[in-house]
Amino acid sequence: LSFQSPRLPQYMNKTAQPATLADLPRLVAEQVMSPVQFESTLRTMAHEGIDTFIEIGPGSVLAGLVKKTLPEARVVSYNGLADEPLIKELFL
């Protein structure tokens, strides 16, 4: 894999912090093989002003965990085209 500088911060569940380009390859590998710090990552993101979370993919388990951890956050699960209006609503 080749990595490029991200346009937005890439928060890694391994460290609960944004990653630098130099750290991305190592952290991606470690994240797959190690326990993650999902709650700490969410709290770090909220502390840095992130208040909207979109879960993309089947189900809504992660969205539920976000709501439980950050009750004030805006959270949407996107499971396909039927959910597109929910996403558009976030950005209007």
Side-chain angles (χ1 to χ4, degrees):
L1 295 174
S2 62
F3 291 84
Q4 297 177 6
S5 294
R7 289 184 278 159
L8 298 171
Q10 303 298 302
Y11 288 83
M12 305 304 292
N13 283 328
K14 171 71 175 149
T15 62
Q17 299 294 319
T20 65
L21 177 60
D23 291 333
L24 272 175
R26 176 183 55 79
L27 288 172
V28 167
E30 288 178 7
Q31 186 163 294
V32 172
M33 300 181 300
S34 304
V36 297
Q37 298 182 44
F38 190 71
E39 183 178 341
S40 296
T41 302
L42 293 175
R43 293 191 187 287
T44 298
M45 294 170 78
H47 179 74
E48 293 182 8
I50 297 169
D51 65 355
T52 302
F53 298 82
I54 303 171
E55 179 178 4
I56 300 173
S60 59
V61 171
L62 296 178
L65 291 172
V66 173
K67 288 179 188 177
K68 183 178 178 182
T69 305
L70 304 172
E72 67 285 350
R74 297 187 309 170
V75 183
V76 172
S77 293
Y78 179 84
N79 294 293
L81 293 177
D83 293 328
E84 195 169 311
L86 297 171
I87 303 301
K88 287 182 178 178
E89 184 179 307
L90 286 175
F91 297 101
L92 296 178

